[in-house]
Amino acid sequence: MENAVKHNEFSESQPLRISLHIHNGVIEVSNNLQPKEVKNSSKIGLRNLKERYRLALGKELSIEHTKDYFKVYLPYLEI
C-alpha cells in the first residue's frame, strides 16, 4: 500500500483505489495505476518483501503489473 501511494498521483477527481482481498491462501493487494514520476526509485521495498517471504515462509510472492493496475499476491500461513 505504501508503494501505491509513493508511485501514483491521485486527487479527489482521480482517486487512487487500493483493494485488499483474501482468497485461497493468498492476500491480494491491488491498485489502479496513475503513475507519477519518481526519481531514483531503488525498488528495494519489493525486493526486501520478496526475500523476507522466501526466508520466513519458504514461499514466493508474485506481482502482476499491467498498464491499468498493479497487484501483489502474498501467500499466508494458516495456523
Side-chain angles (χ1 to χ4, degrees):
M1 287 188 236
E2 177 185 349
N3 277 353
V5 173
K6 178 181 177 182
H7 294 284
N8 289 279
E9 293 193 18
F10 49 93
S11 65
E12 191 171 326
S13 63
Q14 291 186 301
L16 178 62
R17 292 181 178 88
I18 300 173
S19 64
L20 179 87
H21 299 280
I22 301 173
H23 50 87
N24 300 326
V26 176
I27 301 167
E28 175 190 313
V29 182
S30 64
N31 64 274
N32 59 317
L33 286 179
Q34 300 173 154
K36 66 180 172 183
E37 195 168 321
V38 177
K39 296 179 182 178
N40 301 325
S41 176
S42 65
K43 298 187 181 182
I44 197 163
L46 284 175
R47 279 198 306 264
N48 281 341
L49 186 59
K50 283 182 177 182
E51 186 62 22
R52 287 177 189 207
Y53 258 82
R54 189 177 1 235
L55 292 172
L57 301 178
K59 296 185 177 188
E60 298 289 326
L61 63 85
S62 61
I63 297 169
E64 185 178 349
H65 184 195
T66 72
K67 68 178 186 72
D68 297 318
Y69 62 84
F70 190 86
K71 293 183 181 182
V72 178
Y73 300 94
L74 306 154
Y76 67 89
L77 291 176
E78 290 189 49
I79 304 173

